[in-house]
């Protein structure tokens, strides 16, 4: 017997293994980070309509919508659709003029140029799609789909922006939203 233990049992030798890596804790931290990033993206996407450039973006998209409806008037073959499209074109031309008049001016920095370029590229893409549909003889159907999608998209942006807009701008946006509802109703009846 070893005298240093003085009647006690010898301690059990401990293993020389390195401590376990805390996998569960690392996965938990990683999961929380991913959740935080997803929440951040969703919140910023939701609030994007309230950015300083939202009026500019809406104005550009509204202008694209009004031009799309106006430029397509001679290309529509169906007489009922042509009549509805002419009415829609007139409504949106009026709304576009009012909204363009009320949009705050003076933002001409690189970010506004990015918005302008993005909307211009999107407009060019839509025109190319419609030209292809016209060549293929399916213009009316394609145009109706594109017009409906554009109206819904711009209408959502107008609704978001009207929450924070001033009195006159809010009135113009509300008028546009009502006209968009009317246009969608008429398109759905065709």
């Amino acid at each position: 017997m070893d005298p240093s233990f003085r009647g006690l049992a010898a301690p059990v030798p401990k293993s020389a293994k390195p401590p376990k890596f805390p996998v569960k804790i690392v996965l938990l931290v990683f999961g929380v980070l991913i959740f935080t990033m997803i929440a951040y993206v969703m919140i910023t996407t939701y609030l994007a309509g309230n950015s300083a450039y939202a009026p500019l973006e809406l104005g550009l998209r509204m202008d694209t919508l009004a031009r799309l409806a106006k430029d397509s008037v001679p290309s529509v073959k169906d007489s009922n659709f042509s009549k509805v499209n002419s009415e829609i074109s007139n409504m949106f031309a009026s709304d576009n003029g009012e909204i363009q008049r009320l949009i705050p001016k003076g933002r001409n920095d690189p970010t506004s140029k990015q918005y302008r370029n993005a909307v211009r590229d999107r407009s060019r893409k839509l025109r190319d799609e419609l030209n292809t549909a016209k060549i293929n003889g399916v213009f009316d159907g394609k145009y109706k789909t594109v017009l409906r999608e554009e109206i819904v998209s711009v209408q959502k942006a107008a609704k978001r922006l009207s929450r924070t807009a001033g009195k006159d701008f809010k009135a113009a946006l509300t008028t546009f939203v009502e006209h968009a509802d009317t246009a969608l109703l008429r398109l759905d009846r065709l």
Side-chain angles (χ1 to χ4, degrees):
M1 201 146 76
D2 187 6
S4 61
F5 293 117
R6 298 193 175 129
L8 299 174
V12 177
K14 294 188 177 184
S15 120
K17 292 182 189 175
K20 279 184 150 181
F21 188 72
V23 175
K24 290 180 181 178
I25 293 175
V26 170
L27 288 175
L28 180 66
V29 169
F30 186 70
V32 168
L33 286 174
I34 295 293
F35 176 76
T36 304
M37 288 174 35
I38 291 171
Y40 173 76
V41 168
M42 290 176 66
I43 290 171
T44 55
T45 302
Y46 176 74
L47 296 177
N50 298 331
S51 74
Y53 297 100
L56 171 67
E57 184 179 14
L58 177 73
L60 293 170
R61 295 194 58 206
M62 184 69 200
D63 192 46
T64 299
L65 177 62
R67 286 183 185 180
L68 177 71
K70 180 184 174 192
D71 294 344
S72 298
V73 168
S75 300
V76 176
K77 301 295 181 203
D78 182 25
S79 61
N80 291 333
F81 187 27
S82 179
K83 181 181 175 189
V84 168
N85 188 52
S86 295
E87 293 170 0
I88 289 172
S89 175
N90 290 336
M91 277 193 301
F92 289 162
S94 171
D95 292 343
N96 184 38
E98 185 66 16
I99 288 173
Q100 296 300 332
R101 184 181 69 78
L102 294 171
I103 288 179
K105 303 293 183 210
R107 295 216 59 110
N108 198 14
D109 54 23
T111 306
S112 70
K113 290 178 184 175
Q114 289 173 350
Y115 279 112
R116 292 177 198 281
N117 291 336
V119 171
R120 190 177 304 124
D121 291 343
R122 190 168 188 279
S123 175
R124 192 174 300 126
K125 181 183 171 200
L126 287 175
R127 275 182 289 170
D128 290 345
E129 286 178 16
L130 291 175
N131 284 337
T132 302
K134 189 174 183 180
I135 291 169
N136 293 334
V138 293
F139 181 81
D140 286 5
K142 179 67 175 176
Y143 172 62
K144 183 178 175 184
T145 303
V146 167
L147 182 63
R148 187 172 203 311
E149 289 171 358
E150 284 298 300
I151 292 171
V152 168
S153 176
V154 176
Q155 184 185 33
K156 284 180 184 177
K159 283 180 182 177
R160 265 196 319 267
L161 189 57
S162 70
R163 289 186 232 144
T164 58
K167 183 180 177 182
D168 292 337
F169 195 42
K170 185 174 188 166
L173 292 173
T174 303
T175 301
F176 166 72
V177 168
E178 291 169 0
H179 287 167
D181 283 335
T182 303
L184 291 171
L185 185 64
R186 289 182 182 171
L187 284 174
D188 290 342
R189 287 182 183 165
L190 291 175

